[in-house]
Amino acid sequence: SLIKSRMDYLQIALNDKEDIVSVFEVSTGIACNCHCPVCGSQLVAKNKDKAPLSKLSPGQRTAYFSHYRGTECTSAPETMIHLLAKAILKETKELKIPRLRNEMDILAESQTIKFYMVEIEKVYEIEGEKIIPDVTLTVKTGKRLFVEFRNTHGVDATKQEKIRRLGVSCIEVDLKGIEPLREGRPNEIDIKWLLTETELFKTWIFNVVEPRLCEQLQRKKEQAQAEAQKKQREREASEKRKIEALEKHVARKEKKIADLKAEYRRKSGFQLCEIYVNRGHWNYEGFGDSRNHKKYWIPEKSLLTCPRTKNESAVAEGCEACDYFEKYENFSQMSTRFVVCKFVNQGEGKWGWL
């Protein structure tokens, strides 16, 4: 963009004591006694007649530091934000670490940790290669945590691989969007909030315990699944027992009702007689679409001897004309047919009784 924002200007710098100061806290011009964090060159403060909250005149720039000689270092504003974050972390020795996630699962919750020691840009070697994390945090047990600050560029793949080989957990903190000043002073408030109050803008680059936590979580899932399956089997077995008990109860009731009916018929002089068994097959006539075919039933054995007439050619429907006829039961087309008949109690044996 051709228009610079305030974050594009170098508004905080290092003084001759290596303290981080605001452009509004120093004398104007070269008397500011400040230098560039990137190249070390002397700076001049462009802050004449400017206050943190004052309105700028048309065409007037905001207050900022400029190189006394030479080319401006474009990365200097970002570097100063990094230095400010490192200084605050070294002072507070406190960091709120983000949740550790594995896809949709939470392996560890966010927590705030107070550290025993803070080291800035400590050099480590791994298999002859150097690695310099922005900050090394150490707890009293000796466990370490690397912190990397990013603005424009994050931790590249090469450094990530070195961190994994070194076996130290690492968090990346995104400083993009942090303004250098707040009310004319170095913006410690927002950076402290970012470091100690929120898990936002933080990413795990590597976590040593993640494989173990994943394994524990998988075991818990498997145990929960096995427990759920066990409960499901127990529910199904319980439901099956209930159904079986209900079926036995219904069968007993049905038998009791059948016995009561039989007793009632016996006392009334009637019996249930199998008089007609209709077994056979369907036959179809016609051509083309089967929906237009004529359909009719051909019985294979459909007659039984009438107990009164001893007539084997009698059909079941003829029972209706008999004086001993009471009613039909289960009188469907393709099943055994029964008739409630009074003839047997009038004399001749127990042919066909159920």
Side-chain angles (χ1 to χ4, degrees), residues 142-182:
K143 290 184 177 180
R144 295 172 299 178
L145 173 68
F146 291 160
V147 178
E148 291 285 341
F149 293 108
R150 69 169 293 172
N151 193 310
T152 305
H153 303 290
V155 180
D156 59 34
T158 301
K159 193 169 187 179
Q160 288 185 30
E161 180 59 27
K162 289 180 182 179
I163 291 170
R164 288 189 176 89
R165 285 159 52 198
L166 196 60
V168 179
S169 298
C170 179
I171 291 174
E172 185 177 72
V173 182
D174 192 353
L175 298 174
K176 188 176 182 179
I178 296 290
E179 293 195 4
L181 300 178
R182 182 158 177 160

Side-chain angles (χ1 to χ4, degrees), residues 295-311:
K295 175 181 176 183
Y296 58 92
W297 177 257
I298 298 179
E300 295 172 359
K301 182 180 179 182
S302 59
L303 302 176
L304 289 176
T305 303
C306 172
R308 181 178 66 86
T309 65
K310 309 298 184 184
N311 184 0

Side-chain angles (χ1 to χ4, degrees), residues 110-143:
S110 172
Q111 58 178 312
T112 300
I113 300 177
K114 193 74 176 178
F115 291 90
Y116 173 72
M117 183 168 57
V118 179
E119 298 170 286
I120 307 298
E121 297 185 354
K122 182 179 178 179
V123 180
Y124 295 89
E125 284 196 12
I126 176 71
E127 298 176 1
E129 297 180 323
K130 290 185 178 181
I131 177 174
I132 308 175
D134 288 339
V135 182
T136 302
L137 303 175
T138 309
V139 294
K140 288 186 177 181
T141 60
K143 290 184 177 180

Side-chain angles (χ1 to χ4, degrees), residues 33-51:
N33 293 324
C34 293
H35 59 273
C36 174
V38 177
C39 66
S41 299
Q42 193 172 19
L43 299 175
V44 293
K46 304 290 184 72
N47 60 0
K48 186 176 181 181
D49 300 328
K50 295 173 185 176

